[in-house]
Amino acid sequence: MSAELRKRWRKDWVDLMELAVWGDLRSQQIGLGGKLRKRVLEYGERLRSYVSDRSWIPHPREQIKNALSTSLQLREVVEKVGELMGQFAEGEDLARLQLFWQDFSDRLMADITEREGKLVQLLNQQYHEEV
């Protein structure tokens, strides 16, 4: 993964967190803002894991399995953040947040899908080489 892409996602996550913490978002549901902030923080943690170097893991197959696991965890939190976003009803920053989230999550999911395909191929190669 390129350093430029990592930097872009990090900046996007910071912008997302800024909107989640400081944005004018309203809902009839009490505590929804806090839930969103917690999920966005979890999203940042999973995103950080997703872009991390796995060279510290000694066996290549374990590196691949770890990357796939991290990818699946990120998928789950993307879905949860998206569900929370849909529960907000109004607010001055709501439309901007929703558009930003749609763009960010779409780009990330495209990368995840492509990366998972490559990882599965690499994992299959590992298994075939052992046989």
Side-chain angles (χ1 to χ4, degrees):
M1 180 169 305
S2 74
E4 183 179 312
L5 185 56
R6 243 184 247 137
K7 187 185 285 187
R8 168 91 190 266
W9 282 344
R10 182 177 181 176
K11 183 194 176 309
D12 285 348
W13 177 80
V14 168
D15 292 346
L16 177 63
M17 184 55 98
E18 171 82 18
L19 282 167
V21 172
W22 293 101
D24 177 27
L25 310 169
R26 290 181 236 134
S27 170
Q28 298 296 322
Q29 190 176 349
I30 294 174
L32 190 61
K35 286 180 187 178
L36 177 64
R37 288 187 290 276
K38 287 178 185 176
R39 287 291 181 201
V40 171
L41 179 59
E42 181 183 7
Y43 176 70
E45 292 169 345
R46 298 288 183 239
L47 184 59
R48 170 66 172 96
S49 293
Y50 179 74
V51 301
S52 291
D53 177 28
R54 288 174 175 71
S55 62
W56 62 272
I57 301 172
H59 196 281
R61 180 175 53 213
E62 295 306 315
Q63 291 176 3
I64 295 167
K65 288 166 62 176
N66 180 273
L68 279 169
S69 173
T70 301
S71 179
L72 291 173
Q73 291 171 0
L74 183 56
R75 276 182 180 272
E76 288 175 7
V77 78
V78 166
E79 184 178 313
K80 289 175 184 177
V81 170
E83 288 171 5
L84 285 172
M85 295 271 186
Q87 294 177 27
F88 284 92
E90 56 187 291
E92 201 172 296
D93 296 312
L94 181 60
R96 191 173 97 206
L97 175 65
Q98 288 172 334
L99 286 172
F100 180 81
W101 173 250
Q102 191 64 54
D103 177 58
F104 188 9
S105 62
D106 285 351
R107 285 185 287 113
L108 182 59
M109 290 306 295
D111 187 82
I112 288 172
T113 301
E114 181 181 334
R115 184 178 189 193
E116 286 175 347
K118 290 176 182 177
L119 289 169
V120 167
Q121 286 178 343
L122 287 172
L123 191 58
N124 287 336
Q125 283 177 341
Q126 291 285 321
Y127 283 118
H128 290 293
E129 289 174 6
E130 286 182 0
V131 176

